[in-house]
Amino acid sequence: MQFELRRASGAQPWYWLIRASNGKVLATSETYFNRQDAINAVAVVQKNAASAPFYDMTKAA
């Protein structure tokens, strides 16, 4: 698995994605105005993803 920093056209040209080892995209971020903000967001996800709780929001209350 890897993170990739990408450029888009528009007012907020920076975004990142997570790509699986088979090449498929697992997640895409929001877009960022500043390159460094996108890089900082990657660092936050890398640091916290393993301990993030999972909630199944499809279950009936």
Side-chain angles (χ1 to χ4, degrees):
M1 188 165 33
Q2 66 187 32
F3 285 83
E4 298 178 5
L5 182 64
R6 298 290 188 122
R7 289 205 69 164
S9 60
Q12 296 183 319
W14 301 101
Y15 71 101
W16 52 266
L17 56 85
I18 302 172
R19 189 175 300 275
S21 58
N22 66 2
K24 295 192 180 218
V25 174
L26 299 176
T28 303
S29 74
E30 64 182 335
T31 55
Y32 299 87
F33 182 73
N34 297 308
R35 181 178 186 270
Q36 191 59 51
D37 290 340
I39 293 170
N40 291 345
V42 167
V44 168
V45 172
Q46 287 176 317
K47 180 180 177 184
N48 297 303
S51 63
F54 172 77
Y55 300 101
D56 184 350
M57 305 304 284
T58 64
K59 289 187 176 182

